[in-house]
Every structure is written in C-alpha cells, then in structure tokens.
C-alpha cells in the first residue's frame, strides 16, 4: 500500500496533468479588443515610443537590482511570502493588492489581452501566477494612450514569442497604484508610464516569467 506521501505526490501529478491538458485545449492567445478604432491609432503612436526604448527578447534579467531600479524609476518593487496555493471555488481575500499568491480557483485565466469589463476574477488570475505568468494591470479610468503603451510593452517578444506568458487586464481589486506588474509573490507598482518605469517593467517581466511554483507551458 502506498504511503500517504506517495499518495499525495500521485494526486499532485494528476492535478498538473489535468491542468496541462486543459491549457493545451484552450486558446493560447486570447487577444481581445481593448477599445475602438481610436485606440488602434494611439497604439501605432505608442509602438513608435516603445521601440525607442529598446525591445525585449533577452531570456533573463538580473533581479537583484530591481528594488533599487524601481525606486529610481519612481516605482515600488515588493517581494512577499506565499499566502498558500490550495484550490477553492469560493472567494478569497488576498493580503496584497494586486494579489500575488494565495488559494485560487482550479481554472487558471488564459494568456492574452482582456477588454475592460471582461477581466478574469482574482481567484483565476492568481492561479495563472502560480504557473509563472506575468500580469500587466492598470486602474479603471486609465487614459487610452497609456493603455496602448502598456499593451505594446506586454506584447513584446520574450523567448522568441510576442506576449509570451502574459496577461493584461483592467484591475478589479481596487489597487492603489495606477499600474502594476504581478508575478508569484512579487509585484512592481508604478503611477506613471515613462522611459524609466517602462524599462523597469521590462526588467521585472524578464526576471520573473516562468518563475512560479508550477511551470505550465
């Protein structure tokens, strides 16, 4: 008879296999319209601005300087203790805002760009963080120009793939900052989008993509 530890490990592996199957059967890049035609025009302008800041296809970045670099950019970097990672179908009260870890819904939110009003529930996007995703979030009421800038940044290449393992959506947890990037137990919050804050956001993404406790392709 298998020991309790072996049984626990078997169930964990079964859960991972089920999640991987669900991920493969879903659309990997659900790109949703952020706004109307006017946003598309602004997005073109934003592309030009972001390209001037250098692209991001490097596979790694040094995380040791993130706190100092964030401060120099007028942003704040935080590293938190894990709040747990059990599955639940109920609502969860997270200790960080935006949420960065904790119990979560069994179904992770899919990679992609979400239109305002269609953003995933916190319990679903926290599960995505567990899988090593990076989440780009912005406050309701953010200007279309800044949303376009953030979108361009989120869609940059990483590991040779545009928008690799990224979710972007309007924040629905009443976070105090204007913009935030979240990874498992990590966050970067900023109140403006300029050359310095965009550079440190790029640095954060490179440092923490695929660094969650579970790596799901």
């Amino acid at each position: 008879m298998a020991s309790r530890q072996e049984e626990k490990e078997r169930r964990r592996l079964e859960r991972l296999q089920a999640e991987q199957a669900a991920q493969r059967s879903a659309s990997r890049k659900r790109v949703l319209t952020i706004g109307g035609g006017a946003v598309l025009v602004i997005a073109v302008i934003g592309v030009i601005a972001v390209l001037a800041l250098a692209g991001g296809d490097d596979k790694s970045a040094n995380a040791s300087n993130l706190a100092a670099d964030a401060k120099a950019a007028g942003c704040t970097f935080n590293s938190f203790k894990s709040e747990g990672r059990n599955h639940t179908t109920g609502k969860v009260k997270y200790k960080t805002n935006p949420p960065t870890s904790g119990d979560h819904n069994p179904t992770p939110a899919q990679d992609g760009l979400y239109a305002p009003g269609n953003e995933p529930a916190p319990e679903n996007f926290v599960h995505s963080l567990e899988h090593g995703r990076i989440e780009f979030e912005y406050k309701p009421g953010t200007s279309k120009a800044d949303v376009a800038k953030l979108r361009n940044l989120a869609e940059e290449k990483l590991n040779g793939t545009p928008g690799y393992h990224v979710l972007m959506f309007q924040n629905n947890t009443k976070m105090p900052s204007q913009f935030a990037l979240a990874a498992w137990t990590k966050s970067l919050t900023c109140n403006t989008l300029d050359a310095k804050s965009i550079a440190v956001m790029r640095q954060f993404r490179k440092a923490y993509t695929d660094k969650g406790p579970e790596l799901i392709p």
Side-chain angles (χ1 to χ4, degrees):
M1 181 179 293
S3 68
R4 292 179 63 184
Q5 184 61 33
E6 289 172 338
E7 178 66 14
K8 182 177 180 181
E9 179 64 14
R10 182 184 67 79
R11 291 180 180 178
R12 187 186 72 82
L13 291 174
E14 287 178 351
R15 186 184 73 172
L16 285 176
Q17 289 169 358
E19 289 175 2
Q20 288 172 334
Q23 290 283 77
R24 286 193 295 268
S25 67
S27 171
R28 296 303 304 143
K29 293 299 297 177
R30 181 175 61 179
V31 179
L32 304 175
T33 303
I34 288 185
V39 172
L40 296 178
V41 175
I42 296 171
V44 172
I45 298 172
V47 169
I48 297 173
V50 171
L51 287 177
L53 298 173
D57 197 26
D58 294 340
K59 294 185 179 180
S60 62
N62 186 352
S64 62
N65 296 325
L66 258 172
D69 292 345
K71 184 176 181 180
C75 301
T76 301
F77 168 77
N78 280 300
S79 182
F80 305 100
K81 292 182 178 179
S82 173
E83 297 177 32
R85 39 189 295 233
N86 294 319
H87 284 182
T88 179
T89 56
K91 291 290 185 181
V92 179
K93 186 174 182 179
Y94 295 103
K95 296 178 182 178
T96 67
N97 196 3
T100 54
S101 70
D103 295 348
H104 47 261
N105 189 277
T107 303
Q110 296 297 303
D111 298 352
L113 310 177
Y114 292 77
N118 197 39
E119 54 273 359
E123 292 78 15
N124 297 97
F125 68 66
V126 167
H127 194 163
S128 303
L129 296 178
E130 185 186 36
H131 291 179
R133 270 41 179 184
I134 301 297
E135 293 168 357
F136 288 72
E137 304 179 44
Y138 58 94
K139 247 185 178 181
T142 299
S143 71
K144 291 181 178 180
D146 278 345
V147 171
K149 285 183 186 179
L150 195 66
R151 175 175 179 163
N152 292 333
L153 180 62
E155 291 185 315
E156 285 185 352
K157 283 186 177 181
L158 188 67
N159 295 340
T161 302
Y164 176 79
H165 286 181
V166 156
L167 292 79
M168 176 177 158
F169 50 87
Q170 180 175 274
N171 175 264
N172 55 9
T173 63
K174 297 182 180 180
M175 68 180 186
S177 58
Q178 191 70 34
F179 306 98
L181 268 64
W184 184 258
T185 69
K186 306 288 188 293
S187 73
L188 176 70
T189 57
C190 305
N191 285 316
T192 59
L193 281 181
D194 55 24
K196 289 183 178 180
S197 62
I198 288 174
V200 80
M201 287 179 179
R202 185 180 292 122
Q203 183 182 354
F204 180 95
R205 180 191 174 200
K206 292 175 183 176
Y208 293 112
T209 296
D210 292 342
K211 295 300 192 297
E214 294 180 3
L215 176 58
I216 304 297

